[in-house]
Amino acid sequence: MTKKKPLVIVTRKLPEAIETRMMELFDARLNIDDAPMDKAALIEAVKQADVLVPTVTDRIDAAILAHAGPNLRLIANFGTGVDHVDLQTARSRGITVTNTPDVLTEDTADMTMALILSVSRRIGEGERLIRSGDWAGWGPTFMLGHRIWGKRLGILGMGRIGRALARRARGFGLSVHYHNRRRVHEDIEEELGATWWESLDQMLAHVDVVSVNCPHTPATYHLLSARRLKLLQPHAILVNTARGEVVDETALTRMLANREIAGAGLDVFEHEPAVNPKLLELDNAVLLPHMGSATIEGRVDMGEKVLINIKTFVDGHTPPDRVIEGLL
Ligand code: 8YV
């Protein structure tokens, strides 16, 4: 007798190769239209599924998980950050949660570097000028940005992406500073040429560029608060490719508007997909729609990780990217 395949509900459209494999391996319910699922649809999904595959756009909170059916044993997140899943509730309901680390590290670090360059060298402004048809030609004092070579970069969160950014930054002549809950091993510090700052406040006051590369957790919510943002020097720029919630977006917007800091490059927002309308008016802000890890290669790699996590779990083994184990 053949064993019944587990019902895997996928909340968003994934790369075709991943969806094909998902259907071969499991009883997969896909989201062909890619319309984000509303609360009622998510409740229905957790009621029925053996495995749920959500993304950052799905808020899997305690209210949703309260409806989880007895079959739901695994949430195999498509993405690294799991701040949209209530991990404690999942664990207490016996639901294991996995994610997709590593495979989006280099792409996200590339995008962080791109934002640092875009803000410093006014790439967005230049592009908009060309498209407006108003470009009157070159001039010696035209479109001057700031050199990044020789400046100080402060990385907030020296995990995988922070380290990948540090490697790139050195090639661009930036000196690397970082703040992390725990100091990284001295061999890594040496490889990256990175200086640890125990005090985030002191690092902020010292650097020219700040990059947010830590996850959003209760401990990092508004870590860059209005008070801390004020420690930045007026010529400093801030880049965020991690999570909007780590930065007080209202305070940041106000400071950008008043030129209390020079610029910001944001790929993530506090109330995504909503963006503070005042940010949209600012020339010193480069704004991207959460596309830090958006490469075809990366999305396929993420999908493969999801498949492996589900397959190992349903085969009775510990999935490689387990974030928490469901307790029962
Ligand atoms: C993904 C991300 O696009 O993996 C993450 O944590 O922020 C993104 O790069 C998204 O999470 C997919 O769910």
Side-chain angles (χ1 to χ4, degrees), residues 116-144:
I116 293 172
L117 289 165
S118 298
V119 177
S120 306
R121 301 299 304 276
R122 305 174 64 181
I123 293 174
E125 277 179 81
E127 225 263 343
R128 285 194 294 278
L129 180 66
I130 289 275
R131 287 183 192 277
S132 73
D134 291 338
W135 184 35
W138 186 88
T141 56
F142 167 72
M143 267 294 169
L144 303 184

Side-chain angles (χ1 to χ4, degrees), residues 55-56 78-81 104 243 290 293 299 302:
T55 75
V56 69
F78 182 88
T80 303
L104 37 70
R243 283 291 182 270
H290 198 147
S293 68
R299 292 288 184 254
M302 288 162 75

Side-chain angles (χ1 to χ4, degrees), residues 54-57 77-84 100 104 108 241-243 267-268 290-294 299 302:
T55 75
V56 69
T57 56
N77 186 55
F78 182 88
T80 303
V82 284
D83 51 321
H84 55 290
T100 62
L104 37 70
T108 309
T241 51
R243 283 291 182 270
D267 184 48
V268 287
H290 198 147
M291 52 194 272
S293 68
R299 292 288 184 254
M302 288 162 75

